[in-house]
Amino acid sequence: MSVKIYNTLTRKKEAFQSLEAGHIKLYVCGITSYDYCHIGHARSALAFDMIVRYFRYLDYKVTYIRNFTDIDDKIIARASEQNTSTEELANRFINEFYMDMDRLGVDRPTMEPKATEHIQEMIDLISELIDKDMAYAANGDVYYRVGSFAEYGKLSGRKLEDMQAGARIRVNENKDDPMDFVLWKASKPGEPSWKSPWGAGRPGWHIECSAMSRKYLGDTFDIHGGGQDLIFPHHENELAQSEAASNKPYVTMWVHHGFVTIRDEKMSKSLGNFLTIRDILDHYHPEVLRFFIFSTQYRNPLDFSEAAMQDAMAGLNRLYECLAAVNALGDNCSDTVAPVAGNKDIRKINALEGKFQTAMNNDFNTAQAQGCLFETIKVINKIIRQLPDCPSIQDTKLLQKSGETIKKLAGIMGILQEDATEYLAARKAEMLAKTDISEAEILTYIEQRNQARDDKDWARSDEIRDSLLNKGIELKDGPDGTGWSVKRS
RNA sequence: GGCGGCGUAGCCAAGCGGCUAAGGCACUGGUCUGCAAAACCAUGAUUCAGCGGUUCAAAUCCGCUCGCCGCCUCCA
């Protein structure tokens, strides 16, 4: 069964087939590095991290290229504000980006080319376009002649006439046509610049991706990804440049993920309503953010809120609780006791991997895939509950094996990768740190309460329990004594 | 104005023409408990924004209406 992917170019889900058998070539637009990254950037990195991991799980070789835009107007402006060079600024935020990515556990792409290290490739590509009369130089700038590419607009579904009618584009007397876009910009005094046949300048934004993808992946490659906001003009222009130069299809599948919103508005730097990755990771475990991001399919908008993060944490905890219970099974099992798991249970547990794949094959439907995980842990929990003190060897083997499968599959989304017991203990400690009470104090209260319970002084016992609850601590009386947890706020 | 997307239980979210409309969070009931909590089990949409249409059959396809969002300028 093949993977179906929604292709922005055709606006349909299509069965994916790699150009080269068993090898996928993927290019994703990375960040412009002039500031800290926000949750939207995290979603992008995570979405493609998941896609790459899933393809690798399916035994594909994946060549994954993600660029850094390290020269552009914003970088120049920001560097000048901060009295530093564009190079220093860009590299600083590339390092910050790596710190965020490492905390999120995002796998590194195969290569991460920087725009400034591929100026020659861009100049070459621009020269080819000029030779074909698809581009023209004017006063040190070079522009792409949009009108000469008959299919211009095919990715974003726009017609040239419509765009011109509603154009909000500044009039630029260097351009033959207002829709033409810049390939090379003459530099102003003091700005970083590179030598070119058209004078000192720097590349336009769109040309970098065309040049770098061609260098590392060839004229035609399998998948090009990015955020939905890049469809127009960035990807439309890239496509126009590349296809005009090569006369070949640029990309088979265009994959665009949805935005992270906050109160249903797009999170963006220009709106100023963004939360940085590190803001979130200071409050939540990276896997909570991953669980949250994968709780909806990558193309849908995802609304960020504290409540949603709390929900995600609760859901992830439930999965970890199950794995912790499986870990706790131990090896003292018997081969004489009848197993608890029935055929139906075994069938359900064994169906997990197939169902998970079906979900993922459907345009990487991680929401559905998470559902498969929960369905399975429901069966596991049921079995564990029925287990005798000395469970049968069949049951323990079944549970341990399914625990391994769950971890393997969840790993595609980058969740459930920690030791379950340690994860839960760490979350508990974090939650405790937010209360005004220490574990020692709690244990003292529990002891006092146990004394009261032994004396059947229920009033005193309940009083202690209520006072702890007021401090956010919930008690749980179990067969092995009294445990405690921090109440969800 | 042009283009695109979305509207499914209290909230989040699958479902892409036909099996009882996944799953999570919350709620409620049960098991457990001195009573609770936690955990586990169970329960919840005769219905998928509204109205029409196509079809033997529609949440799923088509049309219209209403509402929300995004792109058309840098943006993941």
Side-chain angles (χ1 to χ4, degrees):
Chain A
M1 193 168 40
S2 65
V3 180
K4 277 188 166 172
I5 306 176
Y6 182 88
N7 188 354
T8 306
L9 186 62
T10 57
R11 291 171 208 290
K12 280 197 296 255
K13 272 187 206 172
E14 296 174 348
F16 173 72
Q17 203 172 4
S18 56
L19 292 161
E20 188 185 309
H23 183 191
I24 293 169
K25 293 177 181 174
L26 167 69
Y27 187 96
V28 175
C29 291
I31 58 160
T32 298
S33 61
Y34 69 98
D35 205 343
Y36 295 105
C37 289
H38 58 65
I39 316 175
H41 298 109
R43 187 182 196 188
S44 175
L46 254 17
F48 291 104
D49 186 58
M50 172 275 291
I51 288 172
V52 169
R53 287 182 192 208
Y54 185 60
F55 277 131
R56 289 188 175 144
Y57 158 84
L58 293 178
D59 274 338
Y60 279 99
K61 178 187 171 193
V62 182
T63 301
Y64 173 22
I65 310 295
R66 183 183 59 203
N67 73 297
F68 284 113
T69 296
D70 59 348
I71 183 71
D72 92 322
D73 290 347
K74 281 194 171 159
I75 295 174
I76 292 169
R78 187 66 60 92
S80 126
E81 274 169 33
Q82 299 189 5
N83 262 317
T84 186
S85 68
T86 53
E87 197 180 357
E88 188 281 325
L89 183 93
N91 285 334
R92 191 164 88 225
F93 285 106
I94 286 172
N95 286 333
E96 299 291 353
F97 170 78
Y98 277 134
M99 284 173 65
D100 290 338
M101 291 301 111
D102 288 350
R103 282 175 82 181
L104 285 171
V106 173
D107 292 337
R108 294 282 168 100
T110 316
M111 293 195 81
E112 296 172 272
K114 292 179 187 171
T116 54
E117 291 170 3
H118 296 79
I119 302 291
Q120 191 54 50
E121 286 84 348
M122 298 180 213
I123 290 173
D124 292 345
L125 183 54
I126 294 168
S127 303
E128 286 171 43
L129 291 171
I130 291 175
D131 289 346
K132 292 189 166 191
D133 199 33
M134 305 295 287
Y136 56 93
N139 292 326
D141 292 345
V142 181
Y143 295 93
Y144 183 90
R145 202 184 295 287
V146 165
S148 67
F149 185 65
E151 293 179 293
Y152 191 79
K154 71 175 175 180
L155 179 64
S156 57
R158 290 151 212 264
K159 293 189 195 91
L160 217 43
E161 310 87 76
D162 295 340
M163 288 188 271
Q164 280 162 337
R168 281 198 262 162
I169 294 160
R170 268 176 264 108
V171 182
N172 179 332
E173 63 274 21
N174 287 338
K175 289 184 185 181
D176 287 357
D177 183 291
M179 290 309 297
D180 291 348
F181 58 87
V182 72
L183 297 173
W184 186 264
K185 275 183 179 179
S187 52
K188 299 188 190 100
E191 283 182 357
S193 70
W194 289 263
K195 275 185 220 153
S196 84
W198 317 285
R202 59 191 166 90
W205 178 33
H206 317 300
I207 198 72
E208 22 167 306
C209 291
S210 285
M212 292 189 280
S213 65
R214 179 167 79 165
K215 177 169 181 182
Y216 297 108
L217 299 176
D219 286 334
T220 304
F221 55 95
D222 298 292
I223 302 173
H224 191 131
Q228 283 170 353
D229 48 359
L230 298 184
I231 297 171
F232 190 88
H234 185 52
H235 289 164
E236 190 71 72
N237 291 353
E238 244 187 273
L239 187 159
Q241 294 160 354
S242 293
E243 295 198 350
S246 70
N247 287 318
K248 291 180 207 159
Y250 180 38
V251 167
T252 310
M253 292 261 185
W254 288 88
V255 173
H256 294 101
H257 66 262
F259 303 126
V260 176
T261 60
I262 190 157
R263 279 181 277 275
D264 289 323
E265 254 189 350
K266 182 183 171 186
M267 184 182 286
S268 72
K269 290 186 180 168
S270 33
L271 286 170
N273 60 349
F274 63 92
L275 287 155
T276 63
I277 295 173
R278 53 195 65 189
D279 286 341
I280 301 308
L281 295 186
D282 286 345
H283 297 278
Y284 295 97
H285 188 274
E287 287 199 8
V288 174
L289 182 59
R290 294 185 85 120
F291 183 96
F292 165 68
I293 282 178
F294 293 126
S295 66
T296 188
Q297 203 261 359
Y298 74 90
R299 281 188 290 119
N300 294 146
L302 176 64
D303 199 50
F304 178 88
S305 68
E306 282 298 319
M309 289 299 284
Q310 293 288 333
D311 280 3
M313 188 154 78
L316 187 61
N317 271 12
R318 194 168 129 89
L319 293 173
Y320 266 124
E321 298 274 7
C322 174
L323 290 183
V326 171
N327 287 159
L329 283 176
D331 301 321
N332 303 329
C333 30
S334 157
D335 49 9
T336 54
V337 187
V340 165
N343 285 338
K344 208 174 158 187
D345 297 328
I346 296 172
R347 231 180 299 127
K348 275 190 180 170
I349 287 178
N350 288 337
L352 169 64
E353 193 153 4
K355 284 178 135 183
F356 185 94
Q357 284 187 19
T358 303
M360 293 296 283
N361 286 345
N362 181 20
D363 201 18
F364 311 106
N365 196 330
T366 52
Q368 200 174 12
Q370 285 185 350
C372 299
L373 259 24
F374 280 104
E375 278 180 343
T376 308
I377 66 147
K378 195 181 250 189
V379 179
I380 294 175
N381 283 334
K382 196 187 86 186
I383 295 170
I384 288 179
R385 194 177 159 71
Q386 293 169 351
L387 243 33
D389 289 341
C390 185
S392 84
I393 197 155
Q394 290 101 311
D395 281 339
T396 47
K397 274 198 166 163
L398 174 74
L399 295 176
Q400 282 161 351
K401 193 170 152 263
S402 62
E404 290 307 311
T405 306
I406 288 172
K407 275 172 114 165
K408 177 181 74 177
L409 298 176
I412 292 166
M413 291 181 251
I415 58 172
L416 303 181
Q417 297 308 291
E418 304 230 355
D419 176 82
T421 314
E422 283 171 21
Y423 174 90
L424 293 169
R427 294 299 76 66
K428 193 172 172 179
E430 274 172 16
M431 300 271 284
L432 183 65
K434 288 182 197 163
T435 67
D436 315 325
I437 193 164
S438 71
E439 178 159 19
E441 285 174 275
I442 294 169
L443 294 176
T444 306
Y445 280 119
I446 288 176
E447 224 168 277
Q448 287 173 12
R449 178 167 166 274
N450 283 344
Q451 185 58 53
R453 292 176 74 210
D454 287 345
D455 299 343
K456 304 233 185 289
D457 183 355
W458 308 127
R460 173 70 187 142
S461 158
D462 290 354
E463 189 192 318
I464 295 170
R465 188 176 64 204
D466 290 345
S467 93
L468 279 173
L469 191 59
N470 272 333
K471 293 179 169 125
I473 306 300
E474 281 178 323
L475 296 185
K476 319 173 193 180
D477 298 324
D480 307 326
T482 301
W484 60 275
S485 67
V486 183
K487 199 173 184 306
R488 178 178 165 174
S489 51

